Amino acid sequence: MKVLILGGTTEASALARALAEREIPARFSYAGRVAAPKPQPLPTRVGGFGGIDGLAAFLKAEGITHLIDATHPFAEQMSRHAVAAAEQTGTRLLALTRPPWALQPGDDWQRVDSIEAAVEALAGPPQRVLLAIGRMHLAAFAARPEHHYLLRLIDRPDTPPPLPHHTLTVDRGPFTREGDLALLREHGVERLVCKNAGGAGAAAKLEAARILALPVVMIDRPALPPRREAHTLDEALQWLGH
Ligand code: NAP
């Protein structure tokens, strides 16, 4: 048995620790988006594989028997490639994902199905918006330059985001309800835009929004091809026969 973990999430790191503790042969893969990724207790490679064929070649060359896609629920391309490459090579595939957040009493969500739809949803008078979507798709919000955006990113970007009015905070989760309440109050945030990532560490902003009765534009997850999914570490270990 040899496992490849596609990482970039808290869940992937927890799985890496569990495999290392059990001495299950495994490798870890990062996309390489973050300047100083969390060190892993497994041999780690960084960077894209070169599409489906690149990943398939890697699986074969490394003798990977079990592929665990523990990427973020919005890492759509990587997850699609994992399904295709696993099929091509006959590698067993499991997706370790966290359940999406569900609406709770007191929440005021407008659900949208894409970044573009989230931009649409911001039509209206200028507001102070917490834009918590990572750094990849910020440029789409240049179409709504009237708003003031509070951005929370893991690294300071090399080039300033193309948003005329913004404030940048550089921070890495997990976040706390108290911390996010303070952040929203300090910046006078009136609305949030976020992806339905699920998980505990990023849910703090939703709890804070609930307390302050702020509306949230919630971007739903991309649809993915059918694949076997697990929501917990235990399920993933069971799938590996441990
Ligand atoms: P993506 O759009 O699905 O992937 C773009 C390309 O990046 C993939 O085709 C692949 O390149 C490479 N890639 C992605 N994840 C990889 C991994 N774990 N190992 C090696 N190559 C990888 O992904 P993304 O949305 O840019 O996310 C990149 C990474 O950041 C993911 O690992 C994800 O877990 C993490 N992340 C994403 C988000 C988010 O909101 N999207 C949030 C938090 C963390 P090739 O085609 O060349 O193989």
Side-chain angles (χ1 to χ4, degrees):
M1 164 183 287
K2 193 169 175 190
V3 181
L4 174 64
I5 301 174
L6 303 174
T9 58
T10 316
E11 291 74 13
S13 300
L15 178 64
R17 269 197 309 278
L19 298 197
E21 278 163 14
R22 289 165 180 76
E23 296 182 356
I24 299 172
R27 297 198 56 178
F28 195 93
S29 177
Y30 273 127
R33 299 274 192 276
V34 170
K38 195 175 151 55
Q40 297 296 338
L42 297 174
T44 300
R45 62 167 303 287
V46 180
F49 295 95
I52 296 167
D53 291 343
L55 176 56
F58 182 90
L59 295 174
K60 276 195 196 145
E62 292 290 327
I64 302 294
T65 54
H66 294 68
L67 175 59
I68 301 188
D69 176 3
T71 58
H72 190 271
F74 281 79
E76 180 180 3
Q77 182 167 304
M78 187 69 255
S79 292
R80 287 186 178 276
H81 289 184
V83 170
E87 204 172 281
Q88 208 179 92
T89 55
T91 309
R92 300 185 64 197
L93 169 71
L94 179 75
L96 177 60
T97 69
R98 40 201 182 192
W101 293 314
L103 197 70
Q104 292 189 27
D107 282 336
D108 175 7
W109 288 6
Q110 178 178 0
R111 292 180 60 179
V112 296
D113 62 6
S114 65
I115 297 279
E116 294 69 30
V119 174
E120 263 315 294
L122 290 187
Q127 281 190 313
R128 298 181 69 84
V129 178
L130 171 65
L131 186 54
I133 59 162
R135 82 183 146 91
M136 301 296 285
H137 300 284
L138 294 178
F141 290 84
R144 297 259 179 251
E146 62 276 23
H147 300 302
H148 181 281
Y149 296 100
L150 172 60
L151 311 174
R152 177 159 64 187
L153 301 176
I154 295 175
D155 293 312
R156 191 164 290 281
D158 295 334
T159 51
L163 304 169
H165 313 292
H166 72 263
T167 305
L168 180 66
T169 71
V170 176
D171 204 353
R172 186 188 293 229
F175 301 106
T176 63
R177 184 179 64 179
E178 284 62 35
D180 278 3
L181 255 178
L183 182 81
L184 297 182
R185 284 189 173 129
E186 183 190 337
H187 293 273
V189 168
E190 299 167 277
R191 206 175 199 190
L192 287 76
V193 177
C194 64
K195 296 171 169 175
N196 195 337
K205 58 180 175 283
L206 298 178
E207 294 176 36
R210 197 175 300 134
I211 291 168
L212 298 175
L214 298 180
V216 176
V217 176
M218 181 63 76
I219 306 169
D220 278 334
R221 295 176 174 199
L224 288 167
R227 57 196 185 148
R228 187 180 185 126
E229 291 193 358
H231 286 318
T232 65
L233 195 57
D234 279 351
E235 282 174 73
L237 290 171
Q238 234 168 50
W239 179 73
L240 290 171
H242 282 260

